Amino acid sequence: MKDIIRVKCLLSTEVEALLNQQIKKEAQSSSAYLAMASWCNQNGYDFSSDYFFLQAEEERMHQMKIYKYVLDMGGSAISPEVTNIKIEYNSFKEVFEEALDQEISVTQSLKNIAANCYKEQDFVTIEFLNWFFKEQREEEYKARRALELFEVIGEEGTGRWQIDKNVGKIVYNSEA
Amino acid sequence: MQNIATAPLVDFVEVFQTVNGAVFQSDRENCWYVDFAGKMARFDYRCMMKLRKAVYHIDIEALLLSSELTPDLEIVFICACDHCYVLTLLEIIAFKELLEGTFVMLELNRILHDRVYRLSA
Ligand SMILES: [Fe+2]
Ligand SMILES: [Fe+2]
């Protein structure tokens, strides 16, 4: 009897479902960053707004990367529904706290997918995910550094204005 | 001229069977034939996956607990496939059992392919 399922698709049902879940997470991240860009813009934090616009585009790119991988492997990529995007924030700092939380949850979710891939020896997907792990190093670094500006510079006086000006300057250039 | 009744080309392999139904695989057509609820229906790879998803997603517990007076009928409609099932609660349970068994056997078949053909020198 032919092994039709394996002939059609490299991914197991579980990994395919997890990747589709990740597609949704990346889409949600993209929308959340867009909401942050809007909030920052409306509150006069122009540099942060630009920073979040860029992040939104990156998340969209991540989404497409996984989307195409699922299709390339013979799976069925599901265009996600994105709902419940928070659009109001209580403070400038809260925006960055949420940004970091979001990146952490993305990293955790990717780790969970990789753990499942190891369990079923899906080394092909692990290799694919490695790009994302490296990316998450940068993403978490940037989000953490941005939040740290609130401690380093302080919010008093022209503090928030300073913080805003410095957010876009954060770069991660570890060669490791 | 002779009238020879040609039997349909049968290359079905039984994948799994329960008292309520059976699933067969056709290697020639790369598809499955599902014998359930009084009909034999053909499913290709994509439709088979959708069928599984549709049936697995039915919340049997919720149907059991529902106190509505409407009959316990569920419609299993699979987008872009030719088949539609209207099933009672008991049939849904039986269908799920049949599909679960089928996918366990297909998984076993994959392991056999790995061990016997793909990984042997
Ligand atoms: Fe991402
Ligand atoms: Fe990110």
Side-chain angles (χ1 to χ4, degrees):
Chain A
M1 188 165 81
K2 275 188 192 172
D3 185 4
I4 298 175
I5 296 178
R6 182 61 185 86
V7 168
K8 293 283 183 186
C9 184
L10 179 143
L11 306 167
S12 73
T13 315
E14 293 74 29
V15 169
E16 185 183 315
L18 286 169
L19 289 173
N20 271 311
Q21 202 180 298
Q22 192 63 32
I23 287 168
K24 186 173 179 149
K25 266 189 183 292
E26 300 292 346
Q28 269 165 341
S29 292
S30 183
S31 291
Y33 277 135
L34 213 47
M36 292 173 189
S38 170
W39 188 92
C40 288
N41 184 293
Q42 292 176 72
N43 286 277
Y45 303 112
D46 285 354
F47 293 100
S48 302
S49 181
D50 289 346
Y51 170 80
F52 287 126
F53 268 115
L54 284 175
Q55 287 299 117
E57 270 177 44
E58 273 201 20
E59 300 306 336
R60 168 76 182 173
M61 187 265 278
H62 297 165
Q63 183 199 340
M64 298 316 283
K65 220 176 160 78
I66 308 171
Y67 204 82
K68 286 184 178 137
Y69 174 75
V70 170
L71 290 174
D72 286 349
M73 295 307 107
S76 123
I78 299 165
S79 182
E81 195 176 344
V82 177
T83 49
N84 288 324
I85 297 299
K86 180 171 168 175
I87 56 169
E88 270 309 326
Y89 298 88
N90 292 311
S91 66
F92 187 36
K93 190 180 179 187
E94 191 184 281
V95 178
F96 286 92
E97 283 171 341
E98 300 241 339
L100 177 57
D101 276 351
Q102 182 178 286
E103 289 303 336
I104 290 173
S105 95
V106 165
T107 309
Q108 294 307 98
S109 164
L110 288 164
K111 279 155 73 174
N112 180 49
I113 302 174
N116 275 275
C117 291
Y118 274 111
K119 208 171 67 192
E120 54 179 77
Q121 305 192 333
D122 181 354
F123 301 112
V124 180
T125 302
I126 289 169
E127 199 272 335
F128 166 76
L129 288 175
N130 281 338
W131 183 89
F132 283 86
F133 285 119
K134 195 149 192 191
E135 176 70 13
Q136 281 316 108
R137 267 162 60 172
E138 180 179 337
E139 298 273 74
E140 277 204 27
Y141 173 90
K142 281 174 25 188
R144 201 169 280 118
R145 279 285 177 270
L147 194 53
E148 279 163 7
L149 290 179
F150 285 81
E151 313 304 324
V152 177
I153 299 173
E155 291 187 69
E156 304 75 30
T158 54
R160 284 195 284 271
W161 177 77
Q162 287 277 357
I163 294 167
D164 182 48
K165 263 177 60 171
N166 284 285
V167 160
K169 295 180 189 156
I170 302 165
V171 277
Y172 180 71
N173 45 18
S174 163
E175 294 297 313
Chain B
M1 252 204 1
Q2 267 184 304
N3 262 331
I4 302 168
T6 45
L9 263 174
V10 178
D11 71 328
F12 286 8
V13 178
E14 185 191 295
V15 181
F16 191 69
Q17 191 176 40
T18 67
V19 284
N20 298 299
V23 174
F24 305 91
Q25 179 170 317
S26 164
D27 278 359
R28 201 166 43 85
E29 297 175 53
N30 279 319
C31 73
W32 293 276
Y33 283 86
V34 177
D35 179 11
F36 189 79
K39 65 170 173 181
M40 182 75 108
R42 182 182 185 277
F43 289 87
D44 66 9
Y45 169 73
R46 269 167 56 74
C47 288
M48 192 64 172
M49 291 301 166
K50 286 186 191 171
L51 173 69
R52 172 171 66 167
K53 201 169 177 186
V55 173
Y56 284 17
H57 271 68
I58 299 171
D59 190 343
I60 292 171
E61 203 177 326
L63 288 174
L64 275 168
L65 295 171
S66 123
S67 53
E68 282 174 56
L69 290 172
T70 49
D72 291 324
L73 278 180
E74 188 77 11
I75 298 167
V76 181
F77 175 74
I78 310 137
C79 213
C81 298
D82 303 332
H83 316 297
C84 174
Y85 290 93
V86 180
L87 305 172
T88 65
L89 188 52
L90 282 176
E91 284 172 322
I92 291 165
I93 294 168
F95 205 14
K96 199 174 168 186
E97 186 195 3
L98 176 65
L99 291 177
E100 278 171 346
T102 298
F103 279 95
V104 167
M105 293 314 286
L106 292 175
E107 178 66 30
L108 187 60
N109 185 46
R110 172 200 307 235
I111 294 169
L112 283 174
H113 271 262
D114 276 351
R115 294 296 149 93
V116 179
Y117 310 109
R118 293 170 182 151
L119 301 180
S120 62

